[in-house]
Amino acid sequence: MVQLKTDTSIEAMRATGRVVARMLTAAREAAEVGVSLRELDEVARGVLREAGAGSPFLGYRPHFAPVPFPAVICASVNDAIVHGIPTDYRLRDGDLVSIDAGAKLDGWAGDSAISFTVGRARPADTRLVDTAYKALEAGIAAATVGNRIGDIAHAIGTVCRTAGYGIPEGFGGHGVGREMHEDPGVPNEGRPGRGMPLRHGMVLAIEPMLIGGGVDTYRADRDGWTLRTTDGSRAAHAEHTVAITDEGPRILTAL
């Protein structure tokens, strides 16, 4: 069931979104060659503590997971698409990193993700990351009252496919509210004019995930969480929590 949010609730979710944005900014600034993924998680935990916020990631255990998630961010490097567990792996020059972060403040959740290169970027990685953000922007632009979920999906998918990239099967965005994952699902590919109508008060996490090699398949690591490309190509992930309003889409996780 989709829960429409009041304008007051959306304002409260904006406060949560700012915390998420600060987590990602702090992690990005700390991500230098030689820094471990676990250290980036500690940086993000510090932002949560300062804000008096909790983490919807820490301890989260969906049906597919063998163990609860042990961190407050997902840190996915190179061929890891999403859900990477922060480890003692130390960043190297040229690594492509995706950081997904969430926060919960005053009972409201927020969810956002960024991708970037540490040190010198490969041209192919720069194009991949740029396309992820273009796909995100296209999805947000389609998130208007009167459109449908399929319009968001079509906008994202068109950008990804036109650039020649793969889209992980079965993964996409979702509703956000009191919980990090709510209805409706928001696919990263679809047909325009199909699906649930978008209404004022809906809040969605829009999150394109791109596979550089052009395939849609992935595999899970032994940890049961990290999803990797099957062809070894690199991946990128971009995400914002967005409120659907009569005045247009409002990004709640922008800084």
Side-chain angles (χ1 to χ4, degrees), residues 71-113:
V72 303
I73 63 170
C74 298
S76 307
V77 180
N78 296 332
D79 64 332
I81 307 167
V82 287
H83 302 165
I85 294 176
T87 64
D88 290 326
Y89 174 84
R90 295 194 175 275
L91 294 169
R92 302 171 183 174
D93 186 46
D95 277 348
L96 197 166
V97 183
S98 296
I99 303 291
D100 191 353
K104 200 162 188 181
L105 182 68
D106 296 327
W108 294 104
D111 190 10
S112 185

Side-chain angles (χ1 to χ4, degrees), residues 133-212:
Y133 284 112
K134 289 176 183 177
L136 176 60
E137 290 169 2
I140 292 171
T144 58
V145 172
N147 274 357
R148 292 175 177 266
I149 292 290
D151 294 303
I152 298 175
H154 178 71
I156 293 170
T158 297
V159 172
C160 297
R161 296 302 190 190
T162 299
Y165 296 129
I167 300 170
E169 296 175 353
F171 280 86
H174 49 88
V176 184
R178 291 292 186 182
E179 302 297 330
M180 178 173 58
H181 292 133
E182 296 184 351
D183 292 332
V186 186
N188 284 329
E189 190 169 32
R191 297 175 62 182
R194 296 296 185 93
M196 182 178 293
L198 302 179
R199 298 172 58 190
H200 179 91
M202 293 175 69
V203 179
L204 307 174
I206 299 174
E207 52 176 323
M209 307 167 196
L210 285 63
I211 296 175

